[in-house]
Amino acid sequence: MSEQLTFPDWIAVDWGTSSLKVWAMGADGTVLAQNHSGQGTDDTAPDDFEVTLLTHIAPWLGRDHTPVIACGMVGAAHGWAQVPHRAVPCAPLGTPQTVTCRDARISMHILPGLMQERSADIMRGAETQIAGFLAQNADYDGIICLPGIHTKWAHISAGEIVSFQTFMTGELFDLLSRASMLRHSIGEGGGIDQEAFTGAIADTISRPEAVATQLFKIRAVDVLHTAQTSVSRARLSGILLGLELAAARPYWLGQPVALMGPPAVTALYDKALSAQGVAPTHHDIDTATLQGLGLAYKTLSTG
Amino acid sequence: MSEQLTFPDWIAVDWGTSSLKVWAMGADGTVLAQNHSGQGTDDTAPDDFEVTLLTHIAPWLGRDHTPVIACGMVGAAHGWAQVPHRAVPCAPLGTPQTVTCRDARISMHILPGLMQERSADIMRGAETQIAGFLAQNADYDGIICLPGIHTKWAHISAGEIVSFQTFMTGELFDLLSRASMLRHSIGEGGGIDQEAFTGAIADTISRPEAVATQLFKIRAVDVLHTAQTSVSRARLSGILLGLELAAARPYWLGQPVALMGPPAVTALYDKALSAQGVAPTHHDIDTATLQGLGLAYKTLSTG
């Protein structure tokens, strides 16, 4: 029996558009092992979800049956199985939906995403992270911002998500820096110039409509005066983030703001918000994901 | 001697980032033959410009020497040879710069682009089209808008370009419709819904800062309510064009506006401007290009 101690009680899965994260979990919430992969739902054919997951978790499967709890785009129309959205306002965590598995060693349970009818919006994954955050900050009343490819701003009150808003900022940055004419000025990777970043944010907040011409100007300045890539990159980042902050103002103005996201992009949001007089708190995103999935696992065991 | 009648007196070239257009020209400005190709300057290695051009114009070259007049990105740093920008305000047409050729059958002359120091901006190609337009509309005082991948708005007065502004609208549309998450809602090609288009323009002009969340909403509406691709495409186009019109307002408000560009995109600008109470005039872009290059050819012959 001592061998079985290494097998997890359950497996946590965060499967988004562009990444797959799996964790082998002990009954007490301990992480026994983990595995991160770039194989997101966009790279997975409808029939390949189960076999893809199994290649990442196979070493963790014993003779006993192991429940798997998943959140993210894995529950979308093009995912493993479509799990309907729940409508806000509501508590972030819904009931995990059990979906079909061919392999008897696992049972698969996917959490529903959220939708907003008025001012149409959708989320899959962020609701689980918000649930995990609230598990540790039960009385939180304010804003949670989850920076990423599609940044989410959620208004939290009385344990519910009251409203939320998604911005394509991260995807715009990615497309413009990699695939547009601006790639010639921005190069690959590298830092960002802080002064150019905060300057571009301030300019864009005061004149957001000028974005499409300010973007071209990044290239024009470089052609005419040879800008450093760290300055051009900072301008692109600052223009796009300034545009987001201009529209998300009702969320952050005069509100507590909690930030959860990948460290590099979250640091940019921190800097941008600080320049507007907001002092956001910081929270680890994977911890929140595991807390949220853990809550769902408990409802499963007691359900 | 009668055979030589089929050979052009000169060759006109418009070589941009993503396309190459060549025309065999008679002395009186008649087009004897033409050739359009997708091999833009972005797809041409520095040493391959001459050989690429020759493959497109070889059938037109006789025993006599033929001058070639070119405009566009062919004169940029990554083009055939870098021809320095001239600074506005100035007349649109500069002196063609003669660049090195290995093949003795042609001589190559490239027109300089324009730059703007205050509110940094650059153009290569549009100045030649504006010169061609002014050749036919000598006393024009107002705005010329050249819709395209990088749309140009130019303020014309007393035969000079006073100022200009470039918007990345076309490239943003291209990237977002092809490569972003919105591709799932927009599909390839197809029409646009007129009502959704003018609605998105009006929404964006009144609240330009909301662009990054309005873009995400295109997808959210489709996921929640299944939108037609013609509606999603119209929203994307209207959001981006509305953003441009909001910033370009000082150009079009209360001014005569002349439109020159590819017919499909120009029709969208016409519709968008008409909704703002502007009645633009329409002018053929290739005619303007050939007029502009023809003026440069004449300075060459008399110079």
Side-chain angles (χ1 to χ4, degrees), chain A residues 119 166 171 180-181 213 217, chain B residues 119 166 171 180-181 213 217:
Chain A
S119 187
T166 307
E171 186 163 10
S180 87
M181 163 275 286
T213 186
K217 216 176 285 293
Chain B
S119 186
T166 308
E171 186 163 11
S180 88
M181 164 276 286
T213 187
K217 217 175 283 296

Side-chain angles (χ1 to χ4, degrees), chain A residues 17 33 54 76 93 113 119 133 147 159 188 238 243 248 255 258 277 293 300:
Chain A
T17 312
L54 285 169
L93 211 62
S119 187
F133 171 91
E188 286 173 25
L243 187 67
Q255 292 272 4
L293 291 169
L300 206 70

Side-chain angles (χ1 to χ4, degrees), chain A residues 45-285:
Chain A
D47 287 342
D48 293 345
F49 278 91
E50 183 171 341
V51 67
T52 301
L53 180 66
L54 285 169
T55 60
H56 289 88
I57 65 169
W60 305 340
L61 301 179
R63 267 171 303 175
D64 286 354
H65 160 100
T66 309
V68 178
I69 322 285
C71 67
M73 292 300 284
V74 64
H78 301 288
W80 185 317
Q82 188 169 10
V83 182
H85 297 94
R86 299 160 61 234
V88 294
C90 63
L93 211 62
T95 308
Q97 184 172 308
T98 306
V99 303
T100 315
C101 277
R102 289 181 293 258
D103 193 307
R105 290 174 297 169
I106 60 169
S107 63
M108 183 71 186
H109 312 274
I110 302 178
L111 280 164
L114 297 181
M115 60 176 278
Q116 182 170 266
E117 275 287 359
R118 194 187 49 76
S119 187
D121 215 322
I122 45 178
M123 68 165 66
R124 285 198 186 271
E127 75 294 330
T128 303
Q129 293 154 349
I130 292 171
F133 171 91
L134 289 178
Q136 296 193 299
N137 304 272
D139 297 327
Y140 186 77
D141 200 305
I143 303 303
I144 302 179
C145 173
L146 300 107
I149 293 296
H150 299 149
T151 296
K152 308 280 179 187
W153 293 80
H155 177 201
I156 309 297
S157 186
E160 292 199 332
I161 298 177
V162 179
S163 69
F164 66 97
Q165 204 167 355
T166 307
F167 292 80
M168 279 184 67
T169 308
E171 186 163 10
L172 283 168
F173 180 86
D174 189 49
L175 283 173
L176 287 167
S177 60
R178 274 191 312 104
S180 87
M181 163 275 286
L182 296 179
R183 71 188 184 280
H184 300 302
S185 293
I186 283 167
E188 286 173 25
I192 71 159
D193 180 276
Q194 295 303 331
E195 199 180 331
F197 176 69
T198 48
I201 287 174
D203 288 352
T204 309
I205 287 183
S206 71
R207 198 156 168 262
E209 73 277 12
V211 160
T213 186
Q214 291 297 338
L215 291 175
F216 187 82
K217 216 176 285 293
I218 294 172
R219 180 66 186 150
V221 167
D222 185 23
V223 168
L224 296 178
H225 307 295
T226 315
Q228 289 185 297
T229 56
S230 64
V231 169
S232 298
R233 176 171 282 267
R235 287 209 180 104
L236 175 59
S237 181
I239 288 169
L240 296 176
L241 196 40
L243 187 67
E244 176 174 332
L245 290 190
R249 195 191 301 262
Y251 278 86
W252 53 261
L253 194 69
Q255 292 272 4
V257 176
L259 278 175
M260 290 196 289
V265 61
T266 302
L268 294 178
Y269 276 74
D270 182 83
K271 215 167 289 291
L273 284 165
S274 301
Q276 315 311 316
V278 179
T281 56
H282 288 261
H283 310 268
D284 184 67
I285 187 89

